[in-house]
Amino acid sequence: MAVQISPSILSADFARLADEAAAVPNADWLHVDVMDNHFVPNLTLGLPVVEALLKATSLPLDCHLMIEDPDRWAPLYAELGAGSVTIHAEASRAPVRTLRQIRSFGARAALALNPGTAVEPYEGLLGEIDMLLLMTVEPGFGGQEFLDMVLPKIRIARALVERYGGEIWIQVDGGVTTDTIARCAEAGADVFVAGSAVYGSADRAAAVEELRVKAATA
C-alpha cells in the first residue's frame, strides 16, 4: 500500500492546535496522543480536545490511547468521530470486545505494542484489527531516540500480516525522522507517526513531503 504520514500533535503548539492541524494539509492523518499519567508518565488531552479538533480539521484523527482502562474509553473516541482508535495490548483486558466496538462506530481499530512486547502472541487478534502499531520508543514522551531493536519486530509483524492476508497496516511511532523512516519502511512499516520531525520544522508541509519521499523510495 502507499506510504501514509501521520504527524503527531504531541510535538505541536497546544495553544494553536487548529493552526497546527492546518499546517499539514498534505498529511494522511493527524495523530493524537491521549495520555493519562497512569499507563504512561505524562498527561496530555482527551475527549473534549478531540471533539474540538474534529471541528477544526478535515484530516481524519488517528487517536492513540496510552491510558489505563482503554476498554471503557476507546469506543467513545470512535463514537465521537475519530477515524482510527488504537488501544495498547498491555492495558486492555478485553481487546476483542473493545476492538469490535471501535469498528462498530465506523472507525479503524488498532492494537499497539510497546518496544518490549513480542508481536507473536497477538497473531490471533489480526482478524480484529485494521492496524498494528509498533512503538519504536517507550511510550509517554515525544522527542525520544529511535530504538533499532524494534526493526526485527517490524519484519516479524509484516510476515505475520502477509501470512494472515487482508489489508492490515503496520504503523510505527517514536523517533521517526528522515534518518530512520527508510529503515522502518524497508522492515515493512507503511504508516509513520512523526512528531518532532514535522512540528520541529519551520515548514510543516514540506517536512511531511520529505518523510513521504524517504519512505516511498526506501
Side-chain angles (χ1 to χ4, degrees):
M1 61 167 284
V3 167
Q4 298 187 65
I5 306 296
S6 185
S8 172
I9 62 168
L10 183 62
S11 298
D13 182 347
F14 274 25
R16 301 173 54 251
L17 286 183
D19 292 337
E20 295 284 52
V24 289
N26 55 336
D28 300 284
W29 297 85
L30 192 65
H31 191 81
V32 181
D33 287 307
V34 178
M35 305 182 191
D36 64 357
N37 201 34
H38 293 284
F39 180 68
V40 293
N42 197 2
L43 182 66
T44 54
L45 46 81
L47 283 165
V49 176
V50 168
E51 184 175 17
L53 273 172
L54 284 165
K55 298 174 183 176
T57 180
S58 60
L59 288 174
L61 299 190
D62 171 22
C63 292
H64 176 193
L65 307 189
M66 288 173 271
I67 62 175
E68 290 184 350
D69 201 7
D71 304 316
R72 174 186 177 188
W73 296 104
L76 299 178
Y77 285 86
E79 185 178 15
L80 198 62
S84 177
V85 180
T86 301
I87 63 172
H88 268 263
E90 300 87 356
S92 177
R93 296 182 179 180
V96 173
R97 182 185 68 204
T98 302
L99 292 164
R100 289 182 179 180
Q101 286 180 326
I102 291 169
R103 280 177 160 178
S104 74
F105 289 110
R108 295 180 64 86
L111 186 71
L113 304 177
N114 286 344
T117 302
V119 67
E120 293 92 337
Y122 297 96
E123 182 178 3
L125 290 180
L126 291 180
E128 307 294 339
I129 65 174
D130 302 293
M131 183 170 72
L132 181 64
L133 166 55
L134 302 179
M135 294 298 299
T136 42
V137 299
E138 292 293 344
F141 293 93
Q144 297 183 63
E145 187 174 343
F146 179 84
L147 296 174
D148 283 287
M149 60 170 278
V150 182
L151 290 171
K153 189 162 75 170
I154 298 172
R155 295 187 179 94
I156 292 170
R158 174 52 62 192
L160 291 176
V161 165
E162 291 184 354
R163 185 167 68 198
Y164 172 78
E167 186 179 352
I168 299 172
W169 302 346
I170 297 179
Q171 184 182 68
V172 288
D173 180 2
V176 174
T177 67
T178 53
D179 294 326
T180 61
I181 195 168
R183 278 179 275 163
C184 295
E186 288 169 350
D190 40 36
V191 186
F192 305 90
V193 177
S196 302
V198 172
Y199 284 109
S201 172
D203 188 335
R204 278 88 156 118
V208 168
E209 192 56 31
E210 184 178 9
L211 288 166
R212 191 188 304 280
V213 170
K214 290 277 188 180
T217 56

